[in-house]
Amino acid sequence: LLETYELFNFLFERSMYCVYRDDFEGNFLDANNSALNLLGYTRAEIRSLNFTSLLSPEQVPKARGIIEEIKILGRQKERMEYTLKHKDERLIDVEQIGSIIYNNGEPFAIQGIARDITARKKADRQLLKYAEELKELNSTKIKLFSIIAHDLKSPFHGLLGVSNILSNEIENLSKEEIANLSSGLYQSLQQQYSLVEKLLDWSRVQAGRIEYNPVKINLSQRVEEIFKSLRINSNEKNIRLNNEIKTEVEVLADPYMLD
């Protein structure tokens, strides 16, 4: 019997896992060196603590429930994860399982085994963060394609209409009409080229590859520049574009983001 006790005590103290014993109220009776080192307490200090004192308030009901489960079944049905407070207030993630130990055939205490999973939980959180970032990136990509489809396709209807007139009805047009249509076509193409550049800049902003650099911008002038790219299309549909922003209005914004 003595040899069995000494062997058990040897395994208890030398185990790489955290091994502890508490009574049926959760008060610590003992803990091995691995557990003491993990939590930062001495053996005398740990014996003055209740298991729930290492937990945040929202974890206490779960811990109490596990103690009741062990008292009824003699063991814990499945591993549980807790976040424990180190003596210096650091947080440590552990995975734990426990069962009743007996003395002379009578329930004596609960013995638990726990292992530090802080690194694993940190890696899980990092993976979750990467997954969220990837989800956001895919959402941004879909949004970008939608904007490109809308912002580029719509003005091209007007451009195609003007080019069709120049191609098929040029003999019926005066030099002044041809000059006006050609000038409008050229200006609109310039605006469309500028729009493509801005869309590409916007995509880089969304991907975090362009820093936010706000400057003072005359809002009325910027709206007029945007109207130019829409003029052919709006004229074709008899839509009048009115800029009612006062000429003195200025905003602090990044030009890439404002457009």
Side-chain angles (χ1 to χ4, degrees):
L1 186 62
L2 180 60
E3 290 178 354
T4 302
Y5 174 79
E6 289 177 348
L7 177 61
F8 177 81
N9 195 56
F10 175 83
L11 294 174
F12 177 81
E13 291 297 344
R14 298 299 180 89
S15 175
M16 295 177 63
Y17 288 98
C18 301
V19 185
Y20 62 90
R21 298 177 196 136
D22 53 31
D23 63 21
F24 295 109
E25 299 301 321
N27 300 305
F28 282 107
L29 301 175
D30 202 359
N32 70 350
N33 289 328
S34 294
L36 297 174
N37 291 335
L38 182 67
L39 296 172
Y41 290 100
T42 65
R43 184 165 270 109
E45 289 172 331
I46 203 73
R47 286 171 175 166
S48 68
L49 299 177
N50 186 281
F51 182 69
T52 57
S53 66
L54 304 178
L55 303 172
S56 58
E58 59 270 17
Q59 296 182 95
V60 172
K62 178 174 73 173
R64 293 290 187 194
I66 291 298
I67 291 175
E68 291 304 312
E69 178 181 292
I70 294 173
K71 287 164 66 175
I72 295 170
L73 301 178
R75 60 181 178 81
Q76 191 173 323
K77 289 192 294 186
E78 59 184 22
R79 294 180 179 88
M80 298 298 294
E81 293 183 1
Y82 296 101
T83 299
L84 306 181
K85 287 185 291 186
H86 188 277
K87 184 178 179 180
D88 65 8
E89 298 298 320
R90 284 187 291 116
L91 297 180
I92 303 166
D93 294 304
V94 299
E95 184 180 66
Q96 168 273 346
I97 193 162
S99 62
I100 288 179
I101 54 176
Y102 296 85
N103 185 19
N104 294 324
E106 295 294 326
F108 167 65
I110 294 174
Q111 179 161 292
I113 299 175
R115 64 188 181 105
D116 185 0
I117 59 169
T118 305
R120 191 193 80 189
K121 296 293 285 186
K122 182 179 179 181
D124 288 345
R125 287 190 288 269
Q126 193 66 43
L127 285 174
L128 183 61
K129 178 184 176 184
Y130 288 151
E132 289 297 323
E133 289 176 353
L134 182 60
K135 182 179 178 181
E136 181 66 25
L137 186 60
N138 286 332
S139 175
T140 299
K141 182 174 67 174
I142 293 171
K143 188 188 299 182
L144 174 61
F145 289 155
S146 175
I147 290 173
I148 290 175
H150 178 271
D151 288 3
L152 290 184
K153 185 178 179 181
S154 182
F156 268 101
H157 286 299
L159 295 174
L160 290 170
V162 172
S163 62
N164 182 60
I165 293 173
L166 290 172
S167 176
N168 298 317
E169 299 182 29
I170 192 168
E171 294 180 356
N172 300 321
L173 299 174
S174 66
K175 289 184 178 180
E176 183 179 354
E177 288 174 325
I178 293 172
N180 288 336
L181 287 172
S182 298
S183 176
L185 183 62
Y186 174 71
Q187 290 179 11
S188 185
L189 286 170
Q190 281 188 315
Q191 291 298 323
Q192 291 310 113
Y193 178 76
S194 175
L195 176 60
V196 170
E197 287 188 317
K198 289 170 181 175
L199 285 171
L200 292 174
D201 287 334
W202 179 84
S203 69
R204 286 194 286 268
V205 168
Q206 296 300 310
R209 287 182 287 173
I210 293 182
E211 294 182 0
Y212 173 62
N213 293 309
V215 296
K216 281 188 177 181
I217 298 173
N218 186 293
L219 192 57
S220 180
Q221 289 179 3
R222 186 52 60 96
V223 169
E224 281 299 325
E225 291 172 7
I226 295 171
F227 277 4
K228 287 179 183 178
S229 66
L230 304 174
R231 197 74 68 186
I232 291 179
N233 221 32
S234 63
N235 289 341
E236 187 182 65
K237 297 180 180 180
N238 293 318
I239 297 174
R240 184 176 179 180
L241 302 176
N242 293 319
N243 182 1
E244 298 183 355
I245 300 174
K246 295 181 180 181
T247 56
E248 67 272 14
V249 173
E250 290 185 332
V251 294
L252 188 65
D254 189 310
Y256 295 115
M257 299 181 182
L258 182 63
D259 291 344

